[in-house]
């Protein structure tokens, strides 16, 4: 074993451990609100235990040692000797944080020791001793639980049939025990079946072990660490007191039946018995670490992909055969083959895109903790509801939507919700409800953050906006229009800057981040009953449906999602505002005309709006007309960034490669519309 | 060209740098061959709006969108019609690719670092900061280019600002809604 380079497994170990920590965290948060649920406690314990075992194996001793202490605390909770108090949960949550940062360190090859973790470790130890003291005083007649190393141990070890198959060798374990102290072994052979029924890969034995000498409980635990789950194990101090010994005896005799912690100084460990599901199933898909470059893909998606490729190969060979002896009479077959190829390609493309799709729960899962911490800190009562967690989003979108969402959630808890007293005074439930909802809508994903708090304060916003010179007066503006002002750069309503939000980086950053994802954000609010922030995002960043438009001798692609309508306008609809600026009447609206040829400096293009085509587009909740020469058609475009090798270009969101290998540029509709309307606001 | 044996002996004695040399407006330039990704004939590019004049546009390089720079325009040299000798040298610096359009490629030159002379002041014709040195090759001098200096995007962006800003081009109504 020592020859194997364990480093190759590190990445997987880190991923799994971080998943384990996520599972611990979410279970801890549930523990917080519910009564102590045994299954939840077990989940937490198992996660901690796997991390401990793994880090010891891979030589991350600090992590192992730290987890060990945390695990001890958890063990107390699990066996019911320690109550689940808010303090314990809080402490364990901080342990999760500390472990995360330790993993982050070892991941980059730094020493895992974290200054913060030492303090936490002391706190844990303190907690442990205090907790034990309580337990002791509560059961004053019994001997204390603390391991004093001086006594002898009695161990009942009964192998479950699968013990050997899991790679555990009892002999090796006994040898290890023998090194700790004087070991006496007595094997129970009653379980062995008759010879022709023996499965040679199974273990039918049970042992009574007596270990004398200065041995700590942890040392024994360490020996049986990996066998846990594959055996029944009772470790007890060899009692000098006769009743306890008697209590242990019948247990040993009746081993195989459920082992309960019958006596106080009998510490039972019966893992496996209460493990209905393995831990991995708690959190099937990958870790939510944003920086990780790898992606875990559901096997179904991979299978679908393989099927698709198979079909593609068939189509290809069919077309190949057709091409070898081609004659005009087989044109129909060629057409059919090409159609099939097109369908295969599209399906393949779709399933490849699906690989990048991950459920939004990766982002949502951080909110229970966030909301809990924030509401505790602010003395508010907030109940978080998550909906549509399985809605899938492109990985890139997912990674970038986290921060804006955190901002919205923080804002809601910090500014949105009233204090419980105020809520009661307003005739509302003292506990506010924050709802996160994700769902598909058309070609988009919509994420809503809604609260039933106080709603946005129209007067405060209007006052601030006037102060900042954003508007002259709020008269005649609807509530939503006023609310819209909070997305303006530099706007922040927080009266006092708090630690949590209102640091000046406000909603304008949220809007900009969302815009960068080619999405949009809007707000609806009602004074006294809360506000709803709606983020609309494209399904994927990589492919769009586009409208190809000619401008001069160049062609540009306008994303179809932004297109409202395209039309030829009449002279009468146009109003000239001087300096070549024109607006036109579109139904009940007056929209600015953005002549693409001027914006992009194209030569030989149509400059009279009446001679060209006006594409009415919508971006950022506002509309405008793009003047182009003609429409060339509709096509799917794979978006390529211009920034990879060049730089960001104003007015363009990227480029795509056309069928003939040439490049067409994609128009950044939201950017152009924003620009047109910013001028208007100024 | 030196005799083969002399070259081999030389290689053993010293570390030689190899440069790809090309012609531009009658001068020979050299670019570090390790930065060169490929050499391709001139092909049409897609113009990029809001770009400095020496950026001709972008090219599809096996799926990557790569900007193409006209080196004559970059150095304020007179324009010349593109012919069959015109080539685009694709170079990569720090993971970013870009193409340089030059009159013609010539040779690969082994350069002994000790032979490289400092750049004298060329006056306004060529910005000397894009040159790392001069090296004699036969009767001629080869100007060694510092490709990464050509790629500095801050400078491109400054040039961007000098261009007419997009906002002027956008029609603005006095009052909508």
């Amino acid at each position: 074993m020592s020859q194997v380079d364990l480093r190759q497994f590190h990445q997987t170990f880190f991923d799994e451990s971080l998943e384990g920590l996520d599972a611990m965290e979410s279970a801890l948060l549930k523990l917080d609100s519910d009564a102590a649920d045994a299954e939840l406690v077990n989940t937490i314990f198992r996660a901690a235990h796997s991390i401990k075992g793994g880090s010891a194996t891979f030589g991350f001793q600090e992590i192992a040692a730290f987890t060990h202490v945390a695990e001890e605390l958890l063990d107390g909770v699990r066996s019911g000797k320690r109550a689940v108090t808010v303090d314990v949960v809080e402490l364990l949550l901080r342990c999760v944080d500390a472990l995360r940062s330790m993993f982050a360190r070892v991941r980059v090859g730094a020493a895992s020791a974290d200054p913060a973790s030492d303090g936490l470790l002391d706190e844990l130890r303190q907690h442990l001793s205090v907790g034990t003291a309580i337990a002791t005083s509560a059961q004053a007649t019994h001997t204390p639980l603390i391991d004093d190393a001086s006594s002898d141990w009695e161990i009942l070890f009964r192998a479950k049939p699968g013990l050997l198959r899991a790679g555990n060798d009892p002999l090796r374990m006994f040898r290890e025990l023998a090194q700790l102290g004087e070991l006496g072994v007595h094997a129970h052979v009653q379980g062995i079946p008759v010879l022709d029924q023996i499965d040679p890969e199974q273990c039918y034995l049970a042992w009574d072990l007596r270990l004398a000498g200065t041995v700590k409980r942890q040392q024994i635990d360490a020996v049986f660490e990996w066998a846990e789950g594959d055996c029944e194990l009772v470790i007890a101090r060899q009692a000098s007191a006769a009743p306890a010994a008697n209590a242990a005896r019948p247990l040993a005799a009746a081993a195989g039946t459920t082992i309960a912690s019958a006596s106080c100084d009998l510490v039972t460990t019966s893992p496996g018995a209460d493990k209905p599901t393995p831990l991995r199933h708690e959190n099937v898909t990958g870790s939510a670490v944003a920086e990780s470059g790898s992606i875990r893909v559901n096997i179904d998606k991979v299978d679908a992909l393989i099927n698709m490729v198979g079909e593609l190969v068939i189509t290809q060979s069919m077309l190949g055969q057709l091409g070898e002896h081609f004659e005009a009479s087989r044109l129909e077959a060629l057409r059919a083959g090409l159609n099939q190829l097109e369908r295969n390609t599209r399906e393949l493309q779709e399933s490849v895109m699906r690989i990048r799709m991950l459920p939004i729960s990766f982002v949502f899962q951080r909110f229970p903790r966030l909301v809990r911490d924030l509401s505790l800190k602010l003395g508010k009562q907030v109940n978080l509801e998550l909906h549509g967690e399985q809605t899938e989003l492109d990985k890139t979108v997912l990674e970038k939507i986290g921060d804006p969402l955190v901002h919205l959630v923080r804002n809601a808890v910090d500014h949105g919700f009233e204090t419980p007293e105020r809520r009661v005074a307003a005739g509302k439930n003292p506990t506010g409800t924050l709802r996160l909802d994700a769902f598909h809508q058309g070609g988009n994903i919509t994420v809503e953050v809604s609260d039933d708090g106080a709603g946005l304060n129209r007067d405060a916003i209007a006052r601030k906006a006037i102060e900042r010179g954003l508007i002259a007066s709020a008269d005649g503006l609807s509530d939503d229009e006023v609310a819209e002002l909070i997305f303006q750069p530099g706007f922040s309503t927080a009266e006092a800057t708090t630690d949590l939000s209102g640091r000046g980086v406000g909603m304008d950053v949220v809007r900009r981040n969302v815009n960068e994802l080619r999405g949009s954000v809007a707000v609806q609010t009602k004074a006294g009953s809360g506000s709803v922030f709606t983020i609309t995002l494209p399904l994927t960043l990589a492919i769009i449906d586009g409208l190809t438009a000619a401008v001069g001798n160049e062609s540009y692609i306008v994303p179809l999602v932004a297109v409202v309508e395209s039309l030829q306008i009449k002279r009468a609809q146009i109003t000239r505002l001087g300096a070549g600026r024109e607006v036109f009447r579109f139904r009940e609206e007056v929209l600015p005309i953005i002549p693409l040829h001027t914006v992009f400096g194209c030569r030989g293009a149509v400059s009279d709006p009446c001679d060209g085509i006006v594409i009415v587009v919508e971006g950022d909740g506002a509309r405008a007309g793009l003047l182009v020469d003609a429409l060339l058609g509709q096509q799917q475009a794979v978006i390529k960034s211009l920034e990879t090798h060049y730089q960001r270009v104003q007015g363009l969101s990227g480029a795509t490669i056309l069928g003939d290998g040439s490049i067409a540029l994609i128009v950044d509709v939201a950017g152009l519309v924003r620009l047109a309307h910013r001028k208007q606001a100024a | 060209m030196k005799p083969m044996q002399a070259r081999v002996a030389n290689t053993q004695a010293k570390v030689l740098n190899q440069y790809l040399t090309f012609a531009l407006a009658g001068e020979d330039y050299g670019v570090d061959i390790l930065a060169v990704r490929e050499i391709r004939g001139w092909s049409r590019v897609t113009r990029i709006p809001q770009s400095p004049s020496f950026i001709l546009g972008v090219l599809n390089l096996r799926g990557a969108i790569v900007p193409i720079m006209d080196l004559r325009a970059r150095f304020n040299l007179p324009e010349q019609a593109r012919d069959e000798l015109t080539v685009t040298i694709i170079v990569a610096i720090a993971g970013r690719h870009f193409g340089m359009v030059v009159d013609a490629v010539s040779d690969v030159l082994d350069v002994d670092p000790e032979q490289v002379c400092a750049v004298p002041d060329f006056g306004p014709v060529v910005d000397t900061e894009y040159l790392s040195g001069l090296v004699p090759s036969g009767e001629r001098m080869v100007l060694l280019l510092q490709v990464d200096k050509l790629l500095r995007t801050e400078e491109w962006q400054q040039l961007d600002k000098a261009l007419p800003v997009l906002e002027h081009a956008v029609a603005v109504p006095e009052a909508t809604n």
Side-chain angles (χ1 to χ4, degrees):
Chain A
M1 266 307 268
S2 60
Q3 301 302 314
V4 182
D5 184 4
L6 286 175
R7 270 174 302 183
Q8 59 180 313
F9 305 117
H10 281 184
Q11 193 53 46
T12 317
F13 164 63
F14 292 148
D15 285 347
E16 283 182 2
S17 300
L18 290 171
E19 265 172 47
L21 287 173
D22 289 345
M24 266 175 90
E25 186 171 62
S26 65
L28 277 169
L29 289 169
K30 281 187 205 139
L31 208 58
D32 205 13
S33 40
D34 302 347
D37 176 345
E39 189 43 48
L40 280 175
V41 177
N42 280 324
T43 303
I44 302 166
F45 185 82
R46 283 195 299 264
H49 190 74
S50 309
I51 291 169
K52 180 179 109 178
S55 38
T57 307
F58 290 112
F60 302 116
Q61 295 309 338
E62 279 113 346
I63 298 181
F66 184 82
T67 324
H68 180 79
V69 182
E71 193 189 308
E72 243 178 287
L73 183 64
L74 279 166
D75 198 32
V77 175
R78 191 168 78 145
S79 53
K81 292 195 188 74
R82 201 179 297 275
V84 185
T85 62
V86 179
D87 286 351
V88 170
V89 172
E90 177 67 37
L91 188 62
L92 287 169
L93 277 173
R94 273 162 47 210
C95 290
V96 170
D97 290 344
L99 280 168
R100 276 216 186 97
S101 77
M102 282 164 115
F103 274 113
R105 278 156 189 269
V106 293
R107 197 170 208 156
V108 294
S112 58
D114 184 2
S117 72
D118 288 342
L120 208 53
L121 210 54
D122 291 340
E123 234 176 292
L124 272 173
R125 291 215 178 90
Q126 206 179 346
H127 221 90
L128 271 173
S129 55
V130 170
T132 323
I134 291 165
T136 317
S137 62
Q139 304 166 326
T141 48
H142 300 282
T143 34
L145 269 166
I146 342 158
D147 295 332
D148 74 332
S150 61
S151 58
D152 296 356
W153 291 89
E154 195 163 308
I155 304 160
L156 170 70
F157 177 53
R158 173 182 285 269
K160 284 194 182 166
L163 179 78
L164 299 178
R165 225 170 286 159
N168 291 301
D169 180 1
L171 209 56
R172 183 188 56 77
M173 298 196 288
F174 297 161
R175 273 198 208 110
E176 250 174 79
L177 283 177
Q179 282 173 1
L180 297 175
E182 201 181 309
L183 183 73
V185 182
H186 177 252
H188 297 276
V189 293
Q190 299 94 317
I192 300 178
V194 286
L195 189 61
D196 57 353
Q197 282 170 17
I198 284 185
D199 177 350
E201 289 186 1
Q202 291 207 355
C203 183
Y204 298 99
L205 294 168
W207 294 269
D208 271 335
L209 306 168
R210 273 161 185 277
L211 187 62
T214 21
V215 183
K216 286 199 179 121
R217 167 73 201 233
Q218 288 99 313
Q219 289 175 293
I220 302 177
D221 282 345
V223 171
F224 290 103
E225 180 137 41
W226 291 104
E228 205 170 301
D230 292 314
C231 64
E232 282 155 20
L233 194 62
V234 182
I235 303 172
R237 198 107 40 72
Q238 197 173 17
S240 44
N246 288 345
R249 279 291 159 210
L251 259 175
T257 62
T258 324
I259 296 160
S261 86
S263 153
C264 171
D265 73 339
L266 183 74
V267 191
T268 58
T269 320
S270 70
D274 49 6
K275 265 189 204 174
T277 46
L279 174 68
R280 310 286 313 263
H281 290 194
E282 306 285 326
N283 187 355
V284 174
T285 30
S287 74
V289 194
E291 69 270 19
S292 98
S294 63
I295 183 167
R296 281 196 182 200
V297 182
N298 192 318
I299 195 79
D300 292 345
K301 290 182 178 175
V302 177
D303 285 346
L305 201 59
I306 290 169
N307 280 341
M308 228 69 86
V309 172
E311 277 181 44
L312 191 67
V313 169
I314 294 168
T315 311
Q316 184 267 329
S317 64
M318 186 192 86
L319 284 171
Q321 274 178 5
L322 204 60
E324 247 168 60
H325 315 282
F326 190 72
E327 32 192 276
S329 62
R330 304 183 67 185
L331 194 62
E332 230 8 77
L334 177 67
R335 283 222 183 94
L338 286 173
N339 275 341
Q340 197 176 326
L341 181 68
E342 192 197 328
R343 203 181 57 238
N344 289 155
T345 316
R346 192 176 308 124
E347 281 173 1
L348 188 64
Q349 185 192 40
E350 276 166 16
S351 37
V352 170
M353 299 312 300
R354 264 200 292 274
I355 286 187
R356 290 185 57 87
M357 303 296 262
L358 293 171
I360 200 164
S361 54
F362 282 92
V363 173
F364 278 6
Q365 69 191 10
R366 72 174 86 160
F367 290 122
R369 174 80 190 272
L370 182 76
V371 169
R372 175 188 172 277
D373 287 359
L374 280 183
S375 48
L376 273 181
K377 195 164 187 171
L378 295 164
K380 295 184 179 176
Q381 293 174 14
V382 179
N383 179 28
L384 178 69
E385 282 182 18
L386 299 176
H387 296 272
E389 293 167 88
Q390 289 311 310
T391 311
E392 290 193 329
L393 263 180
D394 186 276
K395 185 169 187 280
T396 321
V397 183
L398 207 60
E399 282 167 3
K400 295 194 175 148
I401 198 61
D403 288 346
L405 274 180
V406 167
H407 205 91
L408 288 179
V409 167
R410 282 192 159 170
N411 257 344
V413 179
D414 195 3
H415 309 306
F417 289 110
E418 315 90 328
T419 53
E421 302 81 56
R422 276 213 207 163
R423 287 185 67 92
V424 172
K428 293 204 257 189
N429 186 333
T431 304
T433 303
L434 180 63
R435 193 182 147 104
L436 285 175
D437 203 345
F439 51 91
H440 286 260
Q441 199 175 47
N444 293 314
I445 297 277
T446 303
V447 185
E448 281 181 0
V449 180
S450 44
D451 64 70
D452 62 352
L456 296 175
N457 184 337
R458 181 191 160 109
D459 294 339
I461 294 171
R463 202 171 58 232
K464 188 86 164 219
I466 294 167
E467 194 180 297
R468 294 278 158 110
L470 294 170
I471 51 167
S473 140
D475 299 339
L477 291 178
S478 71
D479 283 358
D480 285 347
E481 278 167 336
V482 172
E484 187 70 12
L485 291 168
I486 61 170
F487 294 112
Q488 294 297 322
F491 191 95
S492 177
T493 45
E495 295 286 336
T497 303
T498 69
D499 175 29
L500 303 165
S501 46
R503 272 186 247 201
V505 281
M507 305 306 284
D508 58 318
V509 180
V510 170
R511 170 160 281 182
R512 204 170 57 231
N513 289 349
V514 173
N515 283 341
E516 271 168 23
L517 296 169
R518 301 208 330 270
S520 61
V521 56
V523 59
Q524 278 182 305
T525 185
K526 194 153 179 260
S529 53
S531 29
V532 181
F533 287 87
T534 309
I535 298 178
T536 310
L537 295 166
L539 265 180
T540 167
L541 284 183
I543 294 188
I544 55 157
D545 279 311
L547 199 60
T548 316
V551 184
N553 51 5
E554 297 171 12
S555 54
Y556 288 88
I557 291 178
V558 183
L560 208 57
V561 283
V563 175
V564 177
E565 186 171 332
S566 33
L567 68 163
Q568 279 184 303
I569 50 176
K570 297 190 188 72
R571 184 83 52 205
Q573 288 174 277
I574 304 171
T575 311
R576 191 166 286 242
L577 298 171
R581 293 175 176 176
E582 289 160 321
V583 295
F584 74 107
R585 180 161 286 279
F586 175 69
R587 311 234 164 89
E588 296 308 306
E589 292 172 90
V590 177
L591 302 180
I593 294 179
I594 304 174
L596 277 193
H597 68 96
T598 337
V599 175
F600 295 142
C602 309
R603 279 180 217 147
V606 173
S607 56
D608 187 340
C610 301
D611 295 343
I613 301 275
V614 171
I615 307 173
V616 179
V617 290
E618 185 171 333
D620 250 1
R623 290 179 173 186
L626 300 179
L627 172 64
V628 300
D629 293 8
L631 298 181
L632 300 177
Q634 193 180 322
Q635 73 172 97
Q636 283 212 318
V638 179
I639 301 181
K640 305 260 179 183
S641 165
L642 282 171
E643 285 158 82
T644 319
H645 298 292
Y646 186 48
Q647 60 182 348
R648 196 176 158 71
V649 178
Q650 227 181 354
L652 296 178
S653 60
T656 191
I657 294 165
L658 299 176
D660 63 357
S662 67
I663 296 171
L665 302 171
I666 300 167
V667 177
D668 173 16
V669 171
L672 288 181
V673 173
R674 199 158 51 232
L675 215 52
H677 285 265
R678 196 194 298 157
K679 288 286 277 190
Q680 171 199 334
Chain B
M1 194 57 68
K2 293 168 197 162
M4 198 59 199
Q5 237 167 350
R7 254 174 89 165
V8 171
N10 225 347
T11 318
Q12 282 167 345
K14 284 171 190 139
V15 182
L16 294 180
N17 298 330
Q18 288 196 309
Y19 284 83
L20 176 74
T21 60
F22 58 86
L24 190 75
E27 294 293 339
D28 287 335
Y29 290 84
V31 47
D32 187 350
I33 203 150
L34 295 176
V36 176
R37 282 289 157 275
E38 73 180 79
I39 301 166
R40 48 189 294 151
W42 162 253
S43 56
R44 216 179 66 83
V45 297
T46 302
R47 196 183 61 87
I48 290 278
Q50 322 282 329
S51 296
S53 60
F54 56 80
I55 295 295
L56 293 171
V58 284
L59 192 75
N60 168 17
L61 189 74
R62 286 180 299 280
I65 310 280
V66 175
I68 304 297
M69 177 193 294
D70 184 346
L71 215 53
R72 274 177 173 263
R74 185 77 175 95
F75 292 157
N76 294 319
L77 297 168
E79 270 184 59
Q80 185 193 280
R82 303 196 170 92
D83 54 26
E84 65 277 10
L85 281 179
T86 308
V87 290
T88 308
I89 302 172
I90 309 285
V91 294
I93 295 289
R96 289 163 74 101
H97 289 53
F98 76 101
M100 305 186 294
V101 177
V102 302
D103 295 355
V105 282
S106 333
D107 202 355
V108 175
L109 189 68
D110 289 325
V111 173
D112 177 351
E114 287 175 16
Q115 281 184 294
V116 179
C117 331
V119 187
D121 193 359
F122 277 83
V125 186
V126 172
D127 282 322
T128 49
E129 66 171 303
Y130 304 117
L131 299 176
S132 59
L134 283 165
V135 70
S137 162
E139 296 296 298
R140 303 175 61 87
M141 291 297 275
V142 174
L143 301 112
L144 303 182
L145 267 187
Q146 260 183 307
V147 194
D148 49 339
K149 289 280 170 62
L150 292 174
L151 196 71
R152 282 196 319 202
T153 46
E154 317 91 77
E155 193 160 322
W156 294 1
Q157 272 151 13
Q158 276 171 10
L159 280 156
D160 261 2
K161 280 178 199 146
L163 291 169
V165 189
L166 184 57
E167 285 161 56
H168 291 297
V170 176
V172 173
E174 303 282 83
T176 56
N177 300 327

